[in-house]
Amino acid sequence: GMQMAVTIKDVAREAGVSIATVSKIINGAPGISEATTRRVEEVMRALDYAPNSRAASLARKSARCVAFLAELDEAAPYTNPHLFDIMCGVQTALFSKGYALTLLDSLSADVEKMILSRAFDGIIVHGGALTRPIASLLIARRFPHIVIGHPSDVRLNWVDTDHTLGGRIACEHLIDCGCERLAFMGEGETAGISNQRLTGFRTALLEAGLEYRRDWVLHTDGTLASGKGAALELLGRGELPQGIICGSNLLAYAFTLAAAERGVAIPGDMLLITFDRYPYSGLISPEPTLVQIDVRDMGRAAAKQLLQGLKKPELRVQSYTTLPSLIEGQSTRKL
């Protein structure tokens, strides 16, 4: 005859305990003695009891799921074009190992509650969503995590891209082209990534024995209008730099608009290099030379490191992944 599915009642009866006790053991709740837990688990195996997959995963103490925490406000897809690429990389690496990905909005999710309820095995935190309370929670609970971006707290695990190296590669390319007088337009004095790129620019200049000119470092608020204003001002001064590094492709776009207005030809009168292909480099004419980061690869690396951390919780991961690479376009040339 047909085998009836074994229920939680059968397990409880066979093990001589209450249904509540079996339920607690399945859900990994505290307060049940080691002996009782062992007895119930043996009965579950003997009866071939399979609770629904959600409960089963709790019994294994693994949800086979990893959370990705990010700020998902309406502007996020546009102000943070890397976010989707990073998530795609994360998803690829998790999927290949049989893990699901849960996307959490840091603006609304109760992360603490979800960690306590073991809704997922580990969490990947996008740097923009890392708050003090979340950092403290991950450290205090020793919860498997990895932060994308370089956090200030030394106790956290992280992976990041070396943006200082990116700035240096950009500057060295312009120096290789023959430039000696170089400018930099960045996204504001507090913007982390832009500032790291500026540091790389400055280091490369110093190493080449070239002058770092404060008046040729333009700080903007990162917007098109602000970038264009700063560029118009620089291009109206008289002495032109031979090349400029634009700290984002939106600022590079702003610069080319200003150059066209001032009758400054790129690369005829001035060379230009920027970072990242997306989202604006397709609008820039001529096609820009850029330093590209494979952020999907960074997402893959983060997920792989996290999965290793699930097996070895004492593992410390603090590393740069994914070296930036130079992609030559039409906005630079040999002088």
Side-chain angles (χ1 to χ4, degrees), residues 27 40 43 47 54 69 89 108 117 122 136 145 153 167 202 204 225 240 245 261 275 315 330:
N27 290 302
V40 170
V43 168
L47 295 180
R54 206 62 212 90
L69 181 72
S108 60
S117 72
S136 307
H145 69 274
D153 196 312
R202 192 173 183 168
L240 281 187
I245 294 176
E261 230 168 86
F275 299 89
L315 213 61
Q330 308 298 310

Side-chain angles (χ1 to χ4, degrees), residues 82 86 148-150 159-170 184 191-201 247 275-276 291-293 295 298 320-324:
H82 282 167
I86 291 169
I148 292 183
H150 195 155
V159 297
D160 196 8
T161 296
D162 194 341
H163 297 294
T164 306
L165 179 63
R168 187 192 183 108
I169 289 170
F184 183 97
I193 291 176
S194 189
N195 260 349
Q196 290 163 32
R197 287 170 173 165
L198 177 58
T199 302
F201 164 74
F275 299 89
D276 308 323
V291 175
Q292 175 71 0
I293 300 154
V295 279
M298 181 159 66
Y320 288 117
T321 64
T322 321
L323 294 179

Side-chain angles (χ1 to χ4, degrees), residues 275-297:
F275 299 89
D276 308 323
R277 189 173 281 134
Y278 299 110
Y280 302 109
S281 67
L283 303 177
I284 297 172
S285 181
E287 186 198 339
T289 293
L290 50 90
V291 175
Q292 175 71 0
I293 300 154
D294 186 348
V295 279
R296 282 195 181 219
D297 188 56

Side-chain angles (χ1 to χ4, degrees), residues 13-32:
R13 195 175 51 241
E14 189 71 25
V17 296
S18 70
I19 290 174
T21 300
V22 178
S23 173
K24 277 182 177 168
I25 288 165
I26 289 170
N27 290 302
I32 309 289

Side-chain angles (χ1 to χ4, degrees), residues 25-315:
I25 288 165
I26 289 170
N27 290 302
I32 309 289
S33 79
E34 192 62 45
T36 304
T37 303
R38 263 209 306 275
R39 186 162 81 252
V40 170
E41 283 176 348
E42 271 164 25
V43 168
M44 276 158 56
R45 272 196 298 275
L47 295 180
D48 206 12
Y49 171 68
N52 63 48
S53 64
R54 206 62 212 90
S57 66
L58 286 166
R60 285 200 310 273
K61 300 276 201 295
S62 164
R64 299 296 288 181
C65 177
V66 166
F68 186 102
L69 181 72
E71 269 191 29
L72 302 176
D73 58 58
E74 277 179 27
Y78 312 101
T79 54
N80 193 350
H82 282 167
L83 185 58
F84 181 74
D85 257 330
I86 291 169
M87 271 174 355
C88 290
V90 164
Q91 201 277 333
T92 307
L94 290 178
F95 185 74
S96 72
K97 292 278 186 275
Y99 278 78
L101 176 65
T102 297
L103 187 56
L104 298 182
D105 182 2
S106 64
L107 305 170
S108 60
D110 186 342
V111 180
E112 180 161 21
K113 190 171 149 203
M114 295 183 86
I115 283 177
L116 293 177
S117 72
R118 308 193 74 115
F120 37 79
D121 301 320
I123 189 167
I124 295 173
V125 182
H126 185 263
L130 182 69
T131 60
R132 246 323 343 133
I134 286 173
S136 307
L137 177 70
L138 296 175
I139 292 160
R141 299 237 155 246
R142 301 214 167 131
F143 193 73
H145 69 274
I146 197 140
V147 176
I148 292 183
H150 195 155
S152 51
D153 196 312
V154 297
R155 296 168 297 175
L156 290 167
N157 291 331
W158 56 267
V159 297
D160 196 8
T161 296
D162 194 341
H163 297 294
T164 306
L165 179 63
R168 187 192 183 108
I169 289 170
C171 185
E172 285 173 357
H173 175 66
L174 293 185
I175 293 169
D176 288 343
C177 286
C179 294
E180 295 184 345
R181 304 193 312 280
L182 288 173
F184 183 97
M185 176 154 66
E187 287 189 17
E189 312 212 18
T190 53
I193 291 176
S194 189
N195 260 349
Q196 290 163 32
R197 287 170 173 165
L198 177 58
T199 302
F201 164 74
R202 192 173 183 168
T203 308
L205 280 182
L206 291 172
E207 282 187 6
L210 299 174
E211 190 188 0
Y212 171 81
R213 283 181 45 171
R214 271 245 162 77
D215 57 324
W216 278 354
V217 174
L218 314 179
H219 290 290
T220 70
D221 65 11
T223 61
L224 188 61
S226 166
K228 193 175 168 191
L232 286 170
E233 197 273 319
L234 173 77
L235 296 173
R237 281 186 208 165
E239 189 200 3
L240 281 187
Q242 292 163 301
I244 186 161
I245 294 176
C246 296
S248 77
N249 54 45
L250 181 60
L251 291 177
Y253 180 53
F255 191 89
T256 56
L257 295 180
E261 230 168 86
R262 288 264 191 243
V264 172
I266 294 169
D269 302 320
M270 211 172 146
L271 309 189
L272 175 145
I273 188 170
T274 186
F275 299 89
D276 308 323
R277 189 173 281 134
Y278 299 110
Y280 302 109
S281 67
L283 303 177
I284 297 172
S285 181
E287 186 198 339
T289 293
L290 50 90
V291 175
Q292 175 71 0
I293 300 154
D294 186 348
V295 279
R296 282 195 181 219
D297 188 56
M298 181 159 66
R300 277 194 296 271
K304 278 185 186 153
Q305 304 274 27
L306 181 66
L307 292 179
Q308 284 177 333
L310 294 181
K311 291 191 204 113
K312 301 197 181 99
E314 66 289 349
L315 213 61

